[in-house]
């Protein structure tokens, strides 16, 4: 790339949606239905990007024909199972109460939400518990949602990585600046409202196979982009210190453990949990929902390995399991089984606990509103899975459309300084020679996060790790090199990971206690001062600012 060859352009719209997953597409569809002009920008392609790219098979929902009039039991179950103490009850109730409309909407668009004409609930609960996860055929959900958006006049802009938000002179969010992933272009998007829906944050901690950066249960390109750009703009993040873990097949990282129909057993064939003793399609083995570290703990104590044992499964249940595995995007591991002659009906599959991640994200309410005027967010920008994403995304789109009716369009000069700043940064990264590539910085971030803000956390470790992180960030901006636009995309992801990591270190340092999955070896007790409170973090001119707030 020559330093003088970088085209710049401007696109204008009422509502800008950043990220084309279920949250973003549903926000775009609803905003367009309410009369707003909408652009959806995705750094990949909305038809097959993000966590919903190749499908999902579970959708948390309240269905009156199945649950009857008792919606509260569904809300209560989801609130508890989805770390409810990190979210208000009102948020959970708004989410679940709107799922029935979303489910019927999706079904009418061609995403099959019923099985043989019936609502089919299974998995992610225990015997006697309330069923909240609806089985559905989600393999083509993204292409269908993309077409629904286009039918309503939504403009889809693929292969553009948005890096920074734009604010007007009054501090209201007024668009964003993005970089094309294939061409030497910087694009300024001017809008009256922005919806962030870029998904979760992967590649922050060392993975289960550190030499393979992309061997992750969740999509490796969801790198906390929305969190990072919101943080840089001064928006509030929440619960960044709270860790999250997942589990699945050993060394072949995949989500979908709730789709397996089997019993988790130790080497002596004893169940490791108290819930099931033989394969049962209604429950799978729920011990891994409540105790994801079971595989890690069995390994550390020498009692492992732990296996997913599907032996004894009926032919009909095996067919059922295979059907939903394909809709849960597990084709890769199923193809591997076929190539290696592994039959899950006869061969137990070893499972493991996957790496840490941060449960936190952008602090948005049940309307999708964030702490910044004009900025909305939904989906795995915090949490909620495909159900929370599509439902809150739908509501965020409507509220963003209402907001733009009361706001003037930003002037053409808005964002010029930010666009120039991003363009200059891009030129510097692309024009460097014989410098470290993005992989070296990503691995360094992984190592620091795992060693200093990972399973063992203390004030001295956090202080040392924070200094390491600052040095890595300084070097990344000074010497990281991209040989082409594709590598540049990964460089931008690394810069975003660095800002997310900063917020995690700050929040972990502030929470001086041990609670649920959060552990501090120097504070091994639960601090009652933090009961019913959440930790909010935002970036100010002189660094992160943290604040405890009561959770209603």
């Amino acid at each position: 790339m020559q330093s003088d060859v970088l085209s710049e352009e401007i696109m204008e719209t009422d509502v800008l949606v950043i990220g084309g997953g279920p949250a973003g597409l549903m926000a775009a569809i609803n905003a367009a239905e309410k009369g707003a002009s909408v652009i959806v920008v995705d750094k990949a392609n909305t038809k097959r990007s993000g966590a919903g790219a190749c499908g999902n098979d579970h959708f948390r929902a309240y269905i009156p024909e199945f649950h009857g009039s008792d919606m509260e039991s569904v809300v209560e179950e989801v609130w508890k199972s989805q770390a409810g103490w990190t979210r208000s009850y009102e948020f959970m109730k708004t989410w679940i109460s709107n799922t029935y409309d979303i489910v019927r909407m999706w079904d009418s668009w061609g995403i099959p939400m019923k099985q043989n004409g019936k609502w089919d609930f299974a998995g992610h609960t225990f015997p006697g518990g309330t069923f909240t996860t609806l089985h559905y055929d989600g393999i083509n959900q993204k292409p269908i949602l993309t077409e629904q958006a286009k039918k309503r006049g939504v403009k889809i802009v693929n292969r553009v990585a948005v890096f920074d938000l734009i604010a007007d002179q009054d501090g209201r969010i007024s668009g964003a600046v993005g970089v094309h992933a294939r061409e030497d272009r910087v694009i300024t998007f001017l809008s009256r409202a922005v919806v962030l829906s870029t998904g979760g944050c992967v590649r922050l901690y060392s993975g289960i196979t550190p030499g393979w950066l992309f061997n992750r249960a969740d999509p490796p390109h969801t790198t906390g982009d929305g969190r990072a750009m919101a943080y840089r703009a001064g928006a509030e993040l929440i619960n960044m210190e709270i860790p999250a873990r997942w589990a699945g097949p050993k060394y072949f990282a995949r989500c979908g453990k709730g789709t397996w129909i089997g019993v988790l057993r130790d080497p002596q064939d004893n169940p490791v949990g108290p819930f099931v003793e033989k394969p049962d399609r209604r429950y799978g083995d729920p011990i891994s929902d409540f105790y994801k570290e079971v595989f890690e703990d069995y390994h550390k104590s020498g009692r492992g390995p732990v296996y997913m044992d599907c032996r004894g499964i009926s032919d009909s249940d095996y067919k059922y399991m295979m059907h939903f595995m394909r809709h849960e995007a597990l084709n890769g591991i199923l193809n591997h089984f076929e190539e290696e002659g592994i039959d899950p009906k006869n061969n137990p599959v070893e499972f493991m606990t996957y790496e840490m991640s941060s449960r936190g994200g952008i602090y948005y309410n049940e309307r999708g509103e964030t702490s910044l005027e004009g900025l909305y967010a939904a989906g795995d920008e915090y949490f909620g899975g495909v159900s929370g994403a599509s439902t809150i995304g739908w509501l965020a789109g409507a509220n963003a459309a209402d907001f733009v009716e009361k706001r003037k369009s930003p002037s053409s000069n808005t964002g010029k300084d930010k666009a120039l700043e991003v363009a200059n940064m891009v030129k510097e990264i692309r024009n460097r020679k014989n410098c470290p590539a993005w992989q070296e910085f990503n691995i360094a971030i992984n190592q620091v996060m795992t060693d200093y803000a990972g399973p063992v956390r203390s004030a001295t470790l956090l202080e040392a790790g924070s200094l390491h992180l600052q040095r890595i960030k300084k070097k990344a901006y000074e010497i990281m090199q991209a040989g082409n636009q594709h590598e540049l995309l990964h460089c931008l992801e690394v810069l975003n990971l660095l800002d997310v990591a900063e917020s995690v270190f700050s929040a972990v340092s502030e929470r001086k206690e041990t609670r649920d999955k959060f552990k501090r070896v120097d504070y091994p007790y639960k601090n009652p001062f933090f009961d019913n409170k959440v930790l909010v973090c935002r970036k100010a001119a002189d660094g992160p600012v943290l604040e405890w707030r009561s959770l209603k």
Side-chain angles (χ1 to χ4, degrees):
M1 175 185 181
Q2 301 298 317
S3 60
D4 58 345
V5 182
L6 183 62
S7 67
E8 300 178 31
E9 62 182 287
I10 296 175
M11 294 186 182
E12 298 184 39
T13 188
D14 290 334
V15 177
L16 173 66
V17 179
I18 304 173
L25 290 170
M26 290 296 283
I29 290 169
N30 205 9
E33 285 193 352
K34 292 179 72 67
S37 62
V38 183
I39 290 177
V40 174
V41 57
D42 194 295
K43 67 181 179 182
N45 188 305
T46 62
K47 290 184 177 181
R48 292 294 179 190
S49 62
C54 297
N56 299 104
D57 75 326
H58 280 94
F59 193 107
R60 293 190 182 273
Y62 163 67
I63 305 295
E65 295 95 327
F66 181 89
H67 295 105
S69 60
D70 185 16
M71 186 183 71
E72 290 297 328
S73 66
V74 179
V75 175
E76 188 74 22
E77 176 65 25
V78 176
W79 191 56
K80 289 179 179 178
S81 65
Q82 296 292 289
W85 63 272
T86 68
R87 267 298 194 189
S88 73
Y89 191 82
E90 184 61 32
F91 179 94
M92 306 300 283
K93 188 172 182 178
T94 299
W95 164 16
I96 296 302
S97 66
N98 282 277
T99 53
Y100 185 44
D101 290 339
I102 302 299
V103 165
R104 289 185 298 173
M105 196 181 303
W106 279 25
D107 196 58
S108 70
W109 291 345
I111 303 172
M113 305 301 289
K114 292 183 177 181
Q115 304 302 314
N116 299 316
K118 297 181 180 179
W119 304 113
D120 180 22
F121 281 80
H124 295 293
T125 191
F126 55 89
T130 300
F131 285 102
T132 66
T133 50
L134 175 69
H135 255 150
Y136 77 108
D137 294 356
I139 195 169
N140 288 316
Q141 60 190 7
K142 289 291 297 301
I144 291 171
L145 293 176
T146 296
E147 290 308 308
Q148 289 295 324
K150 287 181 176 179
K151 284 181 180 179
R152 291 160 176 81
V154 174
K155 181 178 178 62
I156 306 291
V157 179
N158 290 317
R159 307 294 181 191
V160 172
V162 173
F163 183 71
D164 260 332
L165 297 171
I166 294 170
D168 65 15
Q169 59 185 6
D170 297 318
R172 294 173 297 189
I173 298 303
S174 304
V177 179
V179 180
H180 203 282
R182 300 290 175 84
E183 303 167 4
D184 294 332
R185 282 198 288 153
V186 171
I187 304 171
T188 299
F189 298 92
L190 297 180
S191 64
R192 292 189 280 172
V194 173
V195 181
L196 287 173
S197 53
T198 66
C201 186
V202 185
R203 295 194 353 237
L204 188 62
Y205 285 85
S206 294
I208 57 173
T209 52
W212 299 340
L213 275 171
F214 284 12
N215 184 23
R216 310 283 181 154
D218 289 300
H221 293 287
T222 52
T223 47
D225 301 345
R227 291 163 172 78
M229 67 181 83
Y231 179 64
R232 289 192 291 267
E236 294 176 346
L237 307 184
I238 182 175
N239 294 323
M240 297 303 293
E241 77 282 10
I242 305 299
R245 304 290 298 273
W246 206 248
K250 189 160 190 175
Y251 300 144
F252 202 124
R254 289 294 184 275
C255 291
K257 62 181 178 57
T259 307
W260 290 75
I261 301 174
V263 181
L264 290 164
R265 299 183 186 275
D266 66 14
Q268 288 74 44
D269 277 350
N270 299 310
V272 300
F275 301 110
V276 293
E277 295 184 352
K278 60 182 181 180
D280 189 328
R281 73 157 67 178
R282 295 171 298 171
Y283 305 109
D285 193 338
I287 186 62
S288 62
D289 278 326
F290 305 107
Y291 181 21
K292 297 179 183 68
E293 294 83 1
V294 60
F295 314 101
E296 186 173 82
D297 289 349
Y298 263 68
H299 177 80
K300 288 180 177 178
S301 66
R303 293 175 292 160
V306 174
Y307 299 90
M308 174 60 75
D309 182 9
C310 300
R311 291 175 297 177
I313 190 172
S314 68
D315 289 341
S316 62
D317 279 4
Y318 182 75
K319 182 178 179 181
Y320 179 90
M321 182 176 76
M322 289 294 106
H323 172 83
F324 285 112
M325 279 188 165
R326 297 193 184 282
H327 285 282
E328 179 65 2
L330 295 177
N331 285 312
I333 196 167
L334 294 180
N335 292 341
H336 174 69
F337 287 164
E338 185 175 351
E339 291 168 1
E340 298 298 324
I342 299 171
D343 183 356
K345 288 188 293 185
N346 300 313
N347 305 114
V349 176
E350 186 176 351
F351 268 37
M352 73 179 296
T353 306
Y354 294 154
E355 74 271 13
M356 289 179 66
S357 62
S358 169
R359 181 179 288 277
I362 301 172
Y363 197 2
Y364 62 84
N365 62 18
E366 60 272 12
R367 293 171 52 84
E369 298 165 329
T370 73
S371 60
L372 298 182
E373 188 177 7
L375 182 63
Y376 297 78
D380 288 342
E381 292 292 7
Y382 188 6
F383 83 112
V386 67
S387 169
S390 56
T391 305
I392 301 300
W394 180 257
L395 299 176
N399 291 316
D402 289 341
F403 176 79
V404 303
E405 291 184 357
K406 298 171 286 187
R407 184 184 176 189
K408 294 180 179 179
S409 298
S411 72
S412 58
N413 290 322
T414 303
K416 278 191 173 182
D417 290 343
K418 180 63 68 176
L420 180 61
E421 177 186 325
V422 172
N424 287 337
M425 180 185 70
V426 167
K427 291 175 184 178
E428 290 178 6
I429 294 173
R430 284 295 314 274
N431 287 327
R432 290 172 185 146
K433 303 296 181 184
N434 303 315
C435 291
W438 68 270
Q439 293 96 328
E440 296 184 49
F441 289 97
N442 203 152
I443 291 168
I445 295 168
N446 290 169
Q447 202 69 56
V448 169
M449 291 301 297
T450 301
D451 290 347
Y452 297 93
V456 180
R457 295 170 163 183
S458 71
T460 53
L461 288 173
L462 291 164
E463 182 179 0
S466 182
L467 291 174
H468 290 319
L469 191 70
Q470 291 173 33
R471 285 192 287 269
I472 295 168
K473 184 174 182 178
K474 184 174 184 295
K475 284 183 174 292
Y477 274 95
E478 290 176 348
I479 64 174
M480 186 164 55
Q481 169 191 322
N484 53 50
Q485 289 302 102
H486 180 73
E487 291 180 5
L488 176 63
L489 171 69
H490 291 312
C491 289
L492 299 180
E493 291 173 342
V494 164
L495 297 179
N496 285 331
L497 286 169
L498 284 163
D499 280 322
V500 174
E502 177 182 282
S503 70
V504 171
F505 264 98
S506 299
V508 173
S509 299
E510 177 66 20
R511 185 180 282 275
K512 298 177 174 66
E513 67 160 352
T514 290
R515 177 185 298 262
D516 193 21
K517 303 302 182 184
F518 179 88
K519 294 178 173 59
R520 283 278 299 261
V521 295
D522 49 350
Y523 295 94
Y525 51 84
K526 181 178 178 181
N527 189 336
F529 174 78
F530 301 138
D531 289 349
N532 299 315
K533 290 184 179 179
V534 292
L535 183 57
V536 175
C537 175
R538 63 179 175 83
K539 188 177 183 67
D542 54 350
V545 176
L546 296 118
E547 177 187 349
W548 289 98
R549 292 209 193 133
S550 296
L551 186 67
K552 298 179 181 179

